[in-house]
Amino acid sequence: MLGLSLLALGACSAEDKDQLGRLAMPAPASDRAPAIFDLWKWSWVAAMVVGVLTWGLMFYAAWRFRRSSKNLVPVQTRYNLPLEIFYTIAPILMVIVFFFHTVNTQNTVLEMKDDPDLVVDVVGQQWSWTFNYSEQGEGGTTPYVVGTTADRPKLVLPVDRTVEFRLHSPDVIHSFMIDAFLMKMDVIPGRVNEFQATPTKVGEFRGKCFELCGVYHSRMLFDVEVVSGAEYDAYLAELQENPDNVAKAPVLGGSAVNTQPGLDDGDAEGDHQ
């Protein structure tokens, strides 16, 4: 089995080997992603160590206390007090360590700055996304893009700028995630969840809804492109050339999100009906 495993690994492409080295996680592409990746990696290491130890003790007990004679029945009521104590204390210590590192990671990835470089109001609706580049247009207007299940939208972000994502839903619970950011957050009706991230790599990435939200959940996809600051500014200018892609306030929901395209300017709250 070891030989076959080595042969299979040898046949893998460089990309596959890279994936194996990251334990199937995408390459981190934001400032918060390394903390999540480290938690994932060391959780796997801890799980494998516990597995090897547990399997080793099971196989040792099966071999060491096996029946040595057909007529000999091993004692069935014997117990080992030190082992019982170990089996009780070790899991408690493991839970405490996991809890400590999980809370530290959570505090790191949810840390909020008072002055992010830009704000993107994200709307997850059945079954696509609206991305509002809030107040980044001329005169404080909001350029935005709206997608459908047939035409998935693209979220464009500038590299090395802190982005604050504000998540809105007009219908059911969704979940927003960009794969290379290694973080997802629920999009809940009646509540605005927020997190910040700074893209660290230029490139194209993928995003999707990670919460089963209805019939076409599997098609609730979007593309992500991280570009230079100059390219980002040019993209916003291009969006503003089309009046249908500019609103006075962020487009946050209402019936119009399900009857795209052609959203009209709404009230001061940006709720288009």
Side-chain angles (χ1 to χ4, degrees), residues 212-225:
L212 182 60
C213 58
V215 177
Y216 296 110
H217 160 73
S218 62
R219 299 178 65 182
M220 198 166 169
L221 310 172
F222 62 94
D223 298 318
V224 181
E225 186 173 1

Side-chain angles (χ1 to χ4, degrees), residues 55-241:
W55 294 330
L57 289 173
M58 289 171 59
F59 288 128
Y60 169 76
W63 174 82
R64 175 66 177 79
F65 301 105
R66 70 191 185 282
R67 178 184 290 188
S68 57
S69 171
K70 290 183 179 181
N71 298 323
L72 177 63
V73 178
V75 178
Q76 302 297 306
T77 57
R78 182 180 297 171
Y79 67 94
N80 186 306
L81 184 59
L83 198 59
E84 294 282 347
I85 295 174
F86 171 77
Y87 275 158
T88 301
I89 294 178
I92 295 175
L93 293 176
M94 288 172 56
V95 169
I96 292 173
V97 171
F98 271 114
F99 181 79
F100 173 79
H101 287 290
T102 300
V103 170
N104 278 348
T105 300
Q106 177 178 288
N107 291 339
T108 298
V109 300
L110 294 181
E111 182 181 359
M112 301 286 284
K113 297 181 179 179
D114 293 332
D115 53 346
D117 296 315
L118 59 132
V119 173
V120 177
D121 278 285
V122 178
V123 181
Q125 70 268 351
Q126 294 175 315
W127 285 276
S128 192
W129 302 90
T130 300
F131 300 122
N132 297 274
Y133 301 94
S134 300
E135 300 181 2
Q136 297 175 56
E138 294 181 2
T141 56
T142 296
Y144 68 93
V145 293
V146 181
T148 68
T149 55
D151 183 18
R152 63 191 186 193
K154 177 185 288 187
L155 173 63
V156 178
L157 301 172
V159 69
D160 297 329
R161 294 188 192 176
T162 300
V163 184
E164 181 172 313
F165 296 96
R166 297 175 182 169
L167 310 179
H168 311 261
S169 171
D171 40 51
V172 300
I173 296 177
H174 303 278
S175 189
F176 174 82
M177 180 175 181
I178 300 170
D179 59 357
F181 287 11
L182 307 188
M183 177 178 176
K184 70 182 182 71
M185 182 171 284
D186 283 349
V187 188
I188 301 175
R191 172 175 176 173
V192 181
N193 283 341
E194 303 173 338
F195 74 95
Q196 295 178 352
T198 303
T200 56
K201 293 182 180 179
V202 171
E204 296 181 353
F205 307 101
R206 296 174 298 176
K208 64 177 72 173
C209 175
F210 275 76
E211 185 78 33
L212 182 60
C213 58
V215 177
Y216 296 110
H217 160 73
S218 62
R219 299 178 65 182
M220 198 166 169
L221 310 172
F222 62 94
D223 298 318
V224 181
E225 186 173 1
V226 178
V227 299
S228 66
E231 290 175 307
Y232 178 73
D233 294 337
Y235 173 74
L236 290 184
E238 182 182 350
L239 276 183
Q240 293 177 88
E241 292 177 0

